[in-house]
Amino acid sequence: MSSGTIETGLSSEAHNIHRALASLQEELEAIDYYHQRVDVSDDESLKAVLAHNRDDEMEHATMLLEWLRRAMPGFDLQMRKFLFSAGSLTALAAGKETTQTPRTGLGLGSLQGKENKEQS
């Protein structure tokens, strides 16, 4: 396990955050290993298995990121700032751009609340 140095006297919360961060590091390393093997494999069947395994590790890493976002307000703040944004990340970090979420969907707006108006 790549848990590194652990300070003594940590709270249960700090231990759990450490466990999540160490696990995230391990998942990212596994993604890298699988990705490299996919890149160099000359057997298409093996390449497909390795890509599947890599993508499973991405799921695990993303689940840990979400847990960290919920457990550490700083992660939530930074994720809201950068994830799914458009434009230059460095300009966004420097405060030269505001967070702009790329448009998705059909652009029809929210249909929420329509049911309440129809029921009235």
Side-chain angles (χ1 to χ4, degrees):
M1 187 166 123
S2 57
S3 57
T5 303
I6 302 174
E7 299 291 332
T8 59
L10 291 178
S11 66
S12 176
E13 177 186 14
H15 270 281
N16 286 332
I17 288 171
H18 170 76
R19 290 177 183 115
L21 290 168
S23 295
L24 177 59
Q25 182 178 352
E26 293 163 0
E27 297 296 345
L28 293 173
E29 288 173 354
I31 292 166
D32 183 39
Y33 295 146
Y34 281 120
H35 190 71
Q36 290 179 46
R37 293 169 186 158
V38 167
D39 189 60
V40 298
S41 178
D42 60 1
D43 182 294
E44 291 303 316
S45 178
L46 176 59
K47 189 177 276 213
V49 170
L50 295 171
H52 171 84
N53 291 350
R54 177 201 57 208
D55 294 348
D56 278 352
E57 301 301 338
M58 288 180 190
E59 178 185 39
H60 304 160
T62 304
M63 291 170 64
L64 287 161
L65 284 169
E66 177 59 16
W67 187 91
L68 287 163
R69 184 194 68 78
R70 294 176 186 187
M72 299 181 76
F75 266 112
D76 183 61
L77 177 71
Q78 296 304 321
M79 287 177 176
R80 288 179 189 275
K81 183 176 181 180
F82 290 102
L83 293 181
F84 309 106
S85 63
S88 167
L89 295 174
T90 54
L92 189 59
K96 296 178 183 175
E97 288 187 20
T98 58
T99 301
Q100 296 178 349
T101 304
R103 296 180 76 85
T104 59
L106 299 174
L108 299 175
S110 175
L111 299 176
Q112 211 172 27
K114 184 176 180 182
E115 295 170 1
N116 294 339
K117 289 180 185 176
E118 291 176 354
Q119 291 174 351
S120 300

